[in-house]
Amino acid sequence: MATVDSSVQTEGARMPQPMAIRHGRSALAGTRLAPWVFIAPFFILLLAFSLGPGLYSLWMSLHSDQSGKFIGVKNYQTIVQDSDFQSAAGVIWQCVYTLAPLFCIFAAVVALVLDSKAGWGKSLIKLLIFLPFAIPATASTILWAFNFSPDSSVFASVLHRMGAQNVLFFSKPTTLPYALMNIVVWQNIGAWVMVLTASLAGIPQELVEMARIEGAGAMSIVRHIKLPLLAPVLVLMIISVTSYVLTLITEPYLLQNTLSIPATYTPNMWAYNISFQSSAFNLAAAAAMLLLIVSSTFAIIFVWRSGIYRLQERD
Amino acid sequence: MQTTVQPKAISARSHRIRRRLTNLAVTAALAVVCYYFVAPVLWLVLASTKTQEEVFSSSPLWFGSTFRLWDNVTHVLNYNNSIFLTWTKNSLLYTIPSVAITIISSASAGFGLAKYRFRGRTLLLFITIIALLVPATTLAVPIYLEGSKLGIVNTPWGVILPTSASAFGVWICYNFFSFQFNSEIMQAARIDGANEYQIFAFIALPTARGVIATVAMLTFVSNWNNFFLPFLMVARDDLMPLPVGLGNMAAQTVLGAQASSAAGSAISIMDVITGAFLVALPIALLFVLVRRYWAAGLLGGSMQGQ
């Protein structure tokens, strides 16, 4: 994943010379120290609030809540065997495999249409699709709670006018994941459409013209020029959406009553519930570690396979 | 003559008509997509001008019989000794320092990693990318567990510090300084007698204005909108930021999990709707105004490393 070109001349070795000549030893030492001073604030914070909590949770997860003794992976076994956690994992898995392709196709199609020459008023449309992304998840969940209810929904009123009777959204428990996916799509897709159209706009016009002169149709330009260029953004998008869904909590937590969602509906809700209702903090730490490991492994494999985020140096 | 011109004219016209039809079809399809994204937002704006009954009885996409926006807003702002204003103040108190620390730590770390070669640099870059890929929400519970050991739970620091390190910000800045900031300028400044910190403060930082604006905006919005971490970190009403306060408020009405325990509480559904409107409005306006920076920044951060 990280391929660093070692043939690149090392700047540090070459830079300090003129200073050393002019200012002597202390200046040289200052230059050597400088990069460490520059990187220190970030890495100290990262150590304290990412690596630290991770390691502390790992340590906690290996100890018993009752006796406080080291019990190995027993907490993990308890979680994996817990029926509530299993169904929570099932829900999330369903959301991931339904949403990832759907999100990708929807975003790509909308972006390609917005990038095409057809249609009017597209910069306004782009802005409107983007709007939900700017709304805090708490507020958007609240507004959706009302739009799931037939008496106040802007969708029920349209369907009603089209002749539908007794519109009820997501009333069955099996349809609940779709209610959550709906909010995730509504909230996040506009931002990705924005990024996709920005990268489509970056495609050199000569390349598209050349392909057209060679006889390529609109569809084959999309397939052979535009989609390959979008691929890295789509990878990034899948990672981001997947980790959002894997750690889903805000939306289902706030919709608990409106849609009668169980308190342990997603793995993160399960972890929250076990730590705050049952005070089983070591078990909660194990659940958090499980989520962290699964989502990070997924992201790392995806990035590694696709080869984005390569560390290639330029002198 | 005429016989050769006419078919051409007809085909040009039919071409034009076909083109118009395509435009019409595409615009119509996009309008349907737009309805899905915009109608709920419009609903929120309109609902906050209505009475509670009319939210459910009047047309969802039009005004009610009376315009009650100011009454609704005053009611939310006065609720529980103006706690809504306290939440707003808290949101600012948590977000502004975390954005400031993020800007400084990201720009300097990006600069340090891009412009110097030192032992362990590759490893640190690698760690940055890993940190970039770990979803922040998975760390919320661990941060809470560590925070309760450190004693920063129920203090502003418990929210500010964990949201002050942005691997994404470092990555964007690293890319900028690697590819768009010339090392020769630094060399020239050194010859003129500037030390490394002066080079960073007076040459590198001003050049990176655009990137820093992007990092600032991304951090501001994500920290301002953040729910789960502050939700875990602060349990006291008067320490909550806006999204947590609003969520708490919603939870005490029929929407929420604690509905039964809140029987007879002073919060009405209208407070929640108007509150959501007030929380969404400024950040939506801000974000829409500066959206160009945002897309460019995300793109720059993700793509230039190639």
Side-chain angles (χ1 to χ4, degrees):
Chain A
M1 190 168 108
T3 49
V4 175
D5 191 355
S6 56
S7 67
V8 170
Q9 200 173 359
T10 50
E11 272 176 75
R14 164 185 70 156
M15 292 294 180
Q17 239 94 69
M19 279 198 100
I21 294 163
R22 295 177 62 189
H23 301 291
R25 267 185 69 104
S26 68
L28 181 63
T31 315
R32 286 236 174 98
L33 190 68
W36 294 100
V37 174
F38 287 133
I39 64 164
F42 171 71
F43 284 100
I44 289 172
L45 282 167
L46 194 72
L47 190 71
F49 295 104
S50 293
L51 198 63
L55 291 176
Y56 181 57
S57 282
L58 183 66
W59 184 85
M60 277 180 84
S61 72
L62 301 173
H63 291 76
S64 162
D65 272 306
Q66 283 77 37
S67 62
K69 283 191 188 122
F70 181 84
I71 51 165
V73 292
K74 219 165 169 191
N75 279 332
Y76 292 91
Q77 284 170 346
T78 313
I79 291 170
V80 175
Q81 282 160 10
D82 184 279
S83 63
D84 284 341
F85 189 85
Q86 283 171 2
S87 72
V91 165
I92 286 311
W93 173 234
Q94 188 194 348
C95 287
V96 167
Y97 76 71
T98 317
L99 199 58
L102 207 78
F103 200 97
C104 239
I105 293 166
F106 191 20
V109 166
V110 172
L112 285 168
V113 169
L114 285 173
D115 184 63
S116 75
K117 288 204 173 79
W120 298 292
K122 284 192 297 201
S123 58
L124 176 70
I125 291 170
K126 205 157 68 174
L127 181 64
L128 293 177
I129 293 175
F130 176 73
L131 193 64
F133 186 70
I135 295 176
T138 324
S140 53
T141 309
I142 289 170
L143 78 88
W144 271 104
F146 287 95
N147 278 295
F148 287 144
S149 145
D151 294 326
S152 55
S153 170
V154 293
F155 300 102
S157 73
V158 170
L159 292 173
H160 197 75
R161 219 164 284 168
M162 282 160 66
Q165 308 257 312
N166 297 326
V167 190
L168 266 179
F169 296 108
F170 310 112
S171 51
K172 282 188 222 123
T174 48
T175 57
L176 274 183
Y178 298 98
L180 298 177
M181 283 186 244
N182 167 60
I183 301 182
V184 174
V185 168
W186 184 81
Q187 172 104 65
N188 294 300
I189 213 161
W192 287 105
V193 168
M194 201 76 135
V195 176
L196 288 169
T197 48
S199 48
L200 281 172
I203 295 175
Q205 208 50 49
E206 305 92 71
L207 193 69
V208 178
E209 275 312 310
M210 215 141 76
R212 199 164 285 145
I213 290 164
E214 297 283 322
M219 275 300 139
S220 87
I221 290 176
V222 165
R223 245 191 76 194
H224 297 291
I225 298 178
K226 292 185 174 174
L227 278 183
L229 257 149
L230 291 186
V233 189
L234 292 175
V235 168
L236 211 63
M237 184 168 90
I238 290 178
I239 292 170
S240 158
V241 171
T242 306
S243 48
Y244 190 92
V245 171
L246 280 171
T247 57
L248 203 62
I249 185 161
T250 310
E251 293 83 357
Y253 175 79
L254 291 170
L255 286 170
Q256 266 182 57
N257 235 42
T258 320
L259 296 178
S260 13
I261 295 175
T264 57
Y265 194 63
T266 67
N268 226 356
M269 285 173 88
W270 189 93
Y272 168 73
N273 207 55
I274 206 83
S275 53
F276 284 83
Q277 305 301 320
S278 322
S279 299
F281 291 110
N282 292 351
L283 210 55
M289 286 317 290
L290 215 54
L291 272 178
L292 188 104
I293 291 163
V294 169
S295 53
S296 310
T297 310
F298 169 80
I300 289 163
I301 288 175
F302 229 80
V303 162
W304 176 54
R305 295 286 304 169
S306 68
I308 61 171
Y309 289 122
R310 258 174 308 182
L311 294 177
Q312 220 171 68
E313 309 289 344
R314 203 190 69 175
D315 195 29
Chain B
M1 255 318 251
Q2 274 190 333
T3 45
T4 53
V5 169
Q6 229 164 7
K8 231 183 193 171
I10 288 170
S11 88
R13 196 200 286 159
S14 81
H15 191 77
R16 207 161 52 221
I17 290 173
R18 206 192 308 156
R19 199 171 177 142
R20 281 236 174 108
L21 282 176
T22 320
N23 278 345
L24 205 66
V26 167
T27 312
L30 285 175
V32 173
V33 173
C34 265
Y35 183 83
Y36 168 68
F37 288 100
V38 178
V41 181
L42 212 55
W43 174 88
L44 182 67
V45 177
L46 290 167
S48 53
T49 70
K50 297 178 185 174
T51 61
Q52 182 165 340
E53 274 147 44
E54 281 188 323
V55 165
F56 296 102
S57 61
S58 69
S59 165
L61 282 179
W62 197 242
F63 294 97
S65 56
T66 49
F67 189 79
R68 306 248 317 159
L69 179 64
W70 308 125
D71 307 72
N72 288 337
V73 169
T74 336
H75 197 264
V76 179
L77 295 184
N78 285 334
Y79 153 73
N80 198 0
N81 295 324
S82 312
I83 191 115
F84 203 85
L85 295 177
T86 311
W87 293 337
T88 312
K89 193 196 76 201
N90 290 341
S91 272
L92 289 169
L93 176 73
Y94 300 157
T95 312
I96 292 171
S98 72
V99 170
I101 301 174
T102 305
I103 292 175
I104 295 165
S105 63
S106 300
S108 67
F111 183 75
L113 290 168
K115 289 296 157 199
Y116 299 88
R117 299 293 178 271
F118 51 91
R119 190 183 285 258
R121 174 179 167 276
T122 311
L123 177 71
L124 290 176
L125 274 171
F126 195 76
I127 291 173
T128 309
I129 292 175
I130 300 283
L132 195 69
L133 294 174
V134 174
T137 330
T138 58
L139 278 171
V141 171
I143 289 172
Y144 167 78
L145 295 172
E146 187 200 53
S148 50
K149 254 282 175 298
L150 296 177
I152 55 171
V153 167
N154 268 327
T155 70
W157 295 114
V159 183
I160 296 171
L161 289 177
T163 53
S164 292
S166 164
F168 192 72
V170 173
W171 185 250
I172 296 181
C173 293
Y174 165 76
N175 270 327
F176 175 82
F177 288 123
S178 292
F179 296 99
Q180 270 151 286
F181 185 76
N182 203 330
S183 299
E184 277 145 36
I185 302 172
M186 294 171 64
Q187 192 60 9
R190 283 197 191 102
I191 291 168
D192 287 343
N195 68 32
E196 305 304 306
Y197 310 104
Q198 287 167 332
I199 292 174
F200 174 68
F202 300 118
I203 302 173
L205 272 188
T207 324
R209 273 196 313 271
V211 193
I212 289 170
T214 306
V215 175
M217 207 191 56
L218 282 171
T219 316
F220 183 86
V221 175
S222 74
N223 291 1
W224 182 273
N225 290 354
N226 196 1
F227 175 81
F228 193 41
L229 183 78
F231 171 70
L232 294 177
M233 276 294 180
V234 292
R236 260 171 50 194
D237 239 8
D238 60 325
L239 281 176
M240 287 174 179
L242 270 175
V244 180
L246 180 67
N248 218 32
M249 213 157 102
Q252 288 172 43
T253 64
V254 288
L255 293 171
Q258 298 152 31
S260 53
S261 69
S265 89
I267 310 166
S268 77
I269 285 182
M270 285 327 292
D271 290 330
V272 176
I273 293 175
T274 316
F277 168 69
L278 289 177
V279 169
L281 189 70
I283 199 78
L285 283 180
L286 175 80
F287 214 130
V288 163
L289 284 175
V290 286
R291 69 191 187 281
R292 267 169 229 284
Y293 279 106
W294 181 86
L298 188 49
L299 207 59
S302 56
M303 296 300 113
Q304 273 170 6
Q306 289 183 77

